[in-house]
Amino acid sequence: MLLPFVLYAGALPFVNRVEPTVLGLPFFFAWLIGATVLTPFAVWMTWRGDRKARAGQ
């Protein structure tokens, strides 16, 4: 669950710029969209790993 935090808050000083553009969007907005798309995947991976850990107990 650390991945969403790092993508949203930890990387902001490094991606807070207008140039370059990605698909016509400023880099910052493209970064936020990418982080939003990756967050459900990170949550799913955490849930999956927790389910396997609980099954082994």
Side-chain angles (χ1 to χ4, degrees), residues 23-55:
L23 298 174
L25 294 171
F27 184 70
F28 178 71
F29 291 132
W31 182 270
L32 288 178
I33 290 170
T36 302
V37 169
L38 288 176
T39 296
F41 177 73
V43 171
W44 176 75
M45 290 295 291
T46 302
W47 172 79
R48 184 174 167 217
D50 186 50
R51 187 183 65 183
K52 286 183 178 181
R54 282 186 285 137

Side-chain angles (χ1 to χ4, degrees), residues 1 3-4 6-7 11-12 14 16 27 29 36 46 51 57:
M1 291 304 296
L3 179 66
V6 170
L7 287 175
L12 284 180
F14 304 108
N16 191 15
F27 184 70
F29 291 132
T36 302
T46 302
R51 187 183 65 183
Q57 291 180 347

